[in-house]
Amino acid sequence: MIALCKLLAIESRVRVSDGKASQGAESIMDAIKFAGRISDGGLIDVMSAHAKHHIALGSLSTALHKLDLASTSELRRFFEQKAKSKSPFASAMKLDIGKTVRDARSHLDEIAKESNYWTPPPELVKATHTQRAEYSKRLSEEFALLESQIDPLFAREERFWRFNPTSKDPIVNYALSISPLKDMPQIAARYRTQFRLAALHCRVIEFKRNNNRWPENLEELGGREVWYDPASGGKFYYAKLSNQSYTLYSLGSPETGRIDLVWRGPPDD
């Protein structure tokens, strides 16, 4: 499936190089739609879709400055719609947390084993059957609490997308710390922010096509709905670098760090 997304991304570049701008834009959209269609399951599926989405957006780095105005506008509307859609991570986290709650004992038994990625605490390795059962009960309760946070969490701005564990049990917190679930809100925030950045890149190119210059600032592109970045709580960072290029990114949050959608225009003449 990754190979198919790569082929769609390559197809977009070939079509643009052949002067078929609108077909190139369609290939980019096809690749992202394809990535989304396979993200109806658990977190593994969604992470796979996330990787494919990056491959598809990578086409922008070579295609965007070559697209005509109509194709650029079509892509912008597509990215804006994707940025508003419900995050596939929400339903995937619910599904996987439900599984983890049901299988908390197996989860503890697994992480109690030595691994290349973690060293279990001695208290867990030496725990008796009764102690493991108690740890499993507390872990189930903590995961159930995280599950109850998912819908409220995704209703907030992306800079507030983080779980707030409440357990004071070091074993439970250890089990949470090596679970991929803890990082999913930040990954989801980056995912959505990159769609916003992709739409904003398109707006910058549209402005350049219409005015024969780069915008001086993002306010020239529209109101707060355009330049405001929910991942940082401020403006997207934008600056002209030369007559041929600019930089645009999100400052992100302390959890996500800076968020980029790398795009560079043609070399300076």
Side-chain angles (χ1 to χ4, degrees):
M1 289 186 179
I2 286 181
L4 180 53
C5 255
K6 285 182 177 179
L7 285 174
L8 287 168
I10 292 170
E11 178 186 63
S12 72
R13 297 171 190 174
V14 171
R15 285 177 166 179
V16 169
S17 297
D18 287 345
K20 301 173 182 177
S22 61
Q23 292 181 19
E26 288 174 2
S27 295
I28 294 172
M29 290 188 284
D30 285 344
I32 292 174
K33 288 176 181 177
F34 171 74
R37 289 194 187 102
I38 67 164
S39 62
D40 296 328
L43 289 173
I44 296 298
D45 292 329
V46 174
M47 289 301 293
S48 177
H50 187 53
K52 295 171 179 62
H53 137 264
H54 277 292
I55 291 170
L57 285 183
S59 298
L60 287 177
S61 63
T62 55
L64 189 54
H65 69 281
K66 298 179 182 178
L67 295 180
D68 57 29
L69 182 58
S71 299
T72 304
S73 298
E74 184 180 9
L75 267 179
R76 172 181 53 79
R77 290 189 290 269
F78 171 74
F79 290 133
E80 288 173 342
Q81 184 275 324
K82 296 297 289 184
K84 294 177 182 177
S85 61
K86 183 179 179 181
S87 172
F89 287 87
S91 56
M93 278 192 284
K94 284 183 178 180
L95 178 63
D96 278 29
I97 285 179
K99 291 177 181 177
T100 306
V101 168
R102 292 191 298 271
D103 302 329
R105 177 60 187 274
S106 298
H107 183 62
L108 277 175
D109 288 343
E110 186 64 29
I111 65 173
K113 302 173 184 177
E114 191 72 30
S115 166
N116 292 330
Y117 305 102
W118 65 74
T119 302
E123 297 93 332
L124 180 56
V125 175
K126 298 176 182 178
T128 65
H129 179 82
T130 301
Q131 289 173 323
R132 289 272 182 94
E134 182 60 29
Y135 289 145
S136 297
K137 177 184 176 183
R138 295 174 189 170
L139 183 60
S140 294
E141 292 171 349
E142 191 65 26
F143 272 120
L145 177 63
L146 295 185
E147 184 176 16
S148 72
Q149 295 179 24
I150 290 176
D151 286 334
L153 182 149
F154 283 99
R156 303 171 188 164
E157 291 188 347
E158 285 88 322
R159 60 197 169 111
F160 300 118
W161 285 11
R162 67 180 72 90
F163 282 138
N164 297 304
T166 61
S167 176
K168 296 181 181 179
D169 188 315
I171 299 300
V172 170
N173 286 330
Y174 173 76
L176 290 171
S177 72
I178 64 171
S179 168
L181 291 166
K182 68 180 177 60
D183 298 321
M184 289 304 110
Q186 288 77 50
I187 294 173
R190 295 179 67 87
Y191 188 88
R192 177 167 287 180
T193 300
Q194 285 171 320
F195 278 131
R196 286 198 172 100
L197 283 167
L200 198 48
H201 276 292
C202 289
R203 281 186 180 271
V204 171
I205 297 300
E206 286 177 288
F207 185 94
K208 181 70 156 51
R209 295 278 189 274
N210 287 320
N211 299 278
N212 199 32
R213 66 175 177 86
W214 297 120
E216 294 297 324
N217 50 59
L218 295 181
E219 284 86 348
E220 286 198 87
L221 303 180
R224 187 176 188 275
E225 72 282 358
V226 171
W227 52 255
Y228 179 69
D229 174 20
S232 68
K235 296 180 182 179
F236 285 99
Y237 182 86
Y238 166 81
K240 294 189 298 180
L241 299 179
S242 71
N243 290 331
Q244 295 293 335
S245 63
Y246 64 89
T247 185
L248 174 66
Y249 57 86
S250 165
L251 294 173
S253 67
E255 288 78 20
T256 65
R258 171 173 158 171
I259 304 171
D260 286 279
L261 180 69
V262 176
W263 180 78
R264 294 181 178 84
D268 291 346
D269 294 331

